[in-house]
Amino acid sequence: MATETLTAVATTPGSEPRRRRGGIRSNETVAGWLFVAPVIVILGLFLLLPILMALWVSLTDWNGQGSPFTGDVPFVGADNYTRLFAEDGLARRDFMTSIRNNIYYVAIVVPAQTVLALGLALVVNNRMLKGKSFFRSAFYFPSVTSSVAISVVFLFLFANSGAVNALLGFFGIDGPEWFADSRGVLHLLFGVVGVDSPPAALTDGGPFGLTWWDWLAGPSVAMISIITLVVWTTSGTFMLMFLAGLQNVPVALDEASTLDGASRWQRFRHVTLPLIRPTTFLVLTLGMIGSWQVFDQVYVMSQGDPAKTTLTPAYLSYRTAFRDFDYGSGAAISFVLFLIIIVLTLIQRRVLAERDTDRPRRGWRRRRVPERS
């Protein structure tokens, strides 16, 4: 009788069993915060706080003299941002020119370096290849070399009397003036077929202060030389990422598909590529972010010339802030670039995300399977 009474009291609705406090695991939360506190403080001081300070600078008209957090600095609000998109003038034209140049840059660099890195990874991952360590080191060596030093070397290679034009002259081709010709490659191709002057329909108007003829110029030959440099120096790093992904592909799957009669291309398309999908997403994301942040090669090789055809948003932000002493507009350009990278990364993640076919749809409830007696 007493046992039934105690059971009834313990199972009374609304009553919850008391949790025991104390013990070994009682201070895990406090201990966890104590362990991560140094990292939080360091990131807050050297990452979050500078970002907030730069955001404030982008809302002011600070010229670099004195502190930007005094009352003497005029607060302009979103004027630095509206000048980039809504107001006609040199600021919007330069910014849109840099966006156009960077779009062509990203459209060529990201696919080229991804395909080249994957091809190199497939080569060095071949079990029949001899001297794998040598080829891995040779392909990766440009990635660890100073980008400034390589940029200087490429300046000599693509000079008017450099090795590239000498090689083209050996085949009877008159090489271009790489860092003096401001025409885009599409304009050069139009000139080959006799279209030297733009049609009136392409010069009357266009979005964001640039004509349609300007948007359809294509990258200049100077930008092509920078693209060649970047693809060559970044493919080695991405090759190692693809190589790590390829080495995680089970050999049994490849052998089973071979026994089923699949060709080499079919094995690569239907077995290898799906299994290295996370690595591909990582390579494309890092490549896209790095392509929008290109700065050092432009700074060393061209500084935006000829005729601003190699101008990029990152270099424009630097030039506006540290040469024109317009720190507010320079910070605004950097934050617009930050938003562009975030939006494109989210879009890329959504496009390349794996579809989970086993996930139940919304509104669908799992049925309980009756237990066997």
Side-chain angles (χ1 to χ4, degrees):
M1 186 68 180
T3 303
E4 294 178 357
T5 305
L6 291 175
T7 305
V9 172
T11 58
T12 302
S15 64
E16 297 180 356
R18 295 181 179 180
R19 296 181 178 179
R20 296 180 60 186
R21 297 181 179 179
I24 299 177
R25 305 175 65 89
S26 60
N27 295 325
E28 280 189 350
T29 303
V30 178
W33 281 108
L34 288 177
F35 275 112
V36 301
V39 178
I40 293 177
V41 172
I42 292 174
L43 292 179
L45 288 177
F46 298 102
L47 182 63
L48 181 59
L49 184 60
I51 290 175
L52 296 178
M53 294 170 64
L55 180 61
W56 169 257
V57 171
S58 70
L59 302 176
T60 64
D61 193 17
W62 184 49
N63 59 1
Q65 298 180 358
S67 174
F69 307 106
T70 60
D72 298 334
V73 178
F75 179 80
V76 297
D79 290 348
N80 292 327
Y81 294 91
T82 56
R83 283 206 306 265
L84 301 176
F85 295 96
E87 296 182 7
D88 292 332
L90 183 61
R92 186 178 74 165
R93 183 172 181 83
D94 286 348
F95 180 69
M96 290 304 161
T97 300
S98 67
I99 292 294
R100 179 204 63 182
N101 298 336
N102 223 138
I103 288 175
Y104 284 118
Y105 180 87
V106 173
I108 298 176
V109 168
V110 175
Q113 68 185 6
T114 303
V115 173
L116 179 58
L118 181 57
L120 295 177
L122 291 173
V123 170
V124 298
N125 192 51
N126 190 353
R127 289 173 291 178
M128 304 300 295
L129 179 67
K130 296 181 180 180
K132 294 182 180 179
S133 300
F134 169 76
F135 287 106
R136 291 175 185 177
S137 302
F139 294 151
Y140 183 65
F141 182 75
S143 300
V144 296
T145 308
S146 172
S147 60
V148 175
I150 295 181
S151 299
V152 173
V153 172
F154 266 66
L155 278 177
F156 289 103
L157 291 177
F158 286 91
N160 294 337
S161 58
V164 175
N165 282 351
L167 180 63
L168 294 176
F170 180 76
F171 293 98
I173 302 175
D174 188 11
E177 298 179 358
W178 293 95
F179 293 97
D181 194 348
S182 61
R183 293 175 297 173
V185 292
L186 295 181
H187 287 178
L188 293 175
L189 293 177
F190 292 153
V192 172
V193 297
V195 183
D196 294 325
S197 58
L202 298 179
T203 58
D204 291 340
F208 300 110
L210 297 180
T211 63
W212 289 108
W213 182 252
D214 293 332
W215 283 105
L216 297 176
S220 63
V221 289
M223 181 63 80
I224 292 297
S225 64
I226 297 176
I227 289 173
T228 305
L229 164 65
V230 172
V231 171
W232 181 62
T233 55
T234 58
S235 299
T237 302
F238 296 136
M239 177 202 68
L240 293 183
M241 297 181 184
F242 275 123
L243 183 61
L246 290 174
Q247 290 179 348
N248 287 328
V249 175
V251 181
L253 291 178
D254 188 69
E255 293 177 350
S257 59
T258 304
L259 293 177
D260 290 338
S263 62
R264 180 176 299 180
W265 167 250
Q266 290 174 337
R267 297 198 306 270
F268 173 74
R269 179 182 178 184
H270 298 289
V271 178
T272 305
L273 279 182
L275 292 177
I276 62 172
R277 190 186 187 108
T279 306
T280 305
F281 170 74
L282 176 63
V283 169
L284 290 175
T285 302
L286 294 179
M288 190 269 297
I289 293 174
S291 299
W292 278 101
Q293 294 177 340
V294 58
F295 171 80
D296 46 354
Q297 293 87 357
V298 175
Y299 178 81
V300 175
M301 298 181 68
S302 64
Q303 297 189 359
D305 294 328
K308 301 178 182 179
T309 55
T310 59
L311 188 66
T312 60
Y315 181 77
L316 179 62
S317 175
Y318 160 79
R319 193 185 71 177
T320 304
F322 296 98
R323 289 192 178 182
D324 301 336
F325 300 103
D326 189 358
Y327 288 86
S329 297
I333 294 173
S334 64
F335 275 97
V336 172
L337 179 61
F338 170 74
L339 292 178
I340 291 175
I341 292 174
I342 292 297
V343 171
L344 292 179
T345 302
L346 293 177
I347 294 175
Q348 185 171 295
R349 180 179 181 182
R350 186 174 183 86
V351 171
L352 296 178
E354 295 183 4
R355 301 293 190 268
D356 190 358
T357 56
D358 296 334
R359 178 182 295 179
R361 297 181 179 179
R362 294 181 179 180
W364 181 82
R365 297 180 179 179
R366 293 183 178 180
R367 297 180 181 177
R368 289 187 175 180
V369 179
E371 297 180 356
R372 297 181 180 180
S373 56

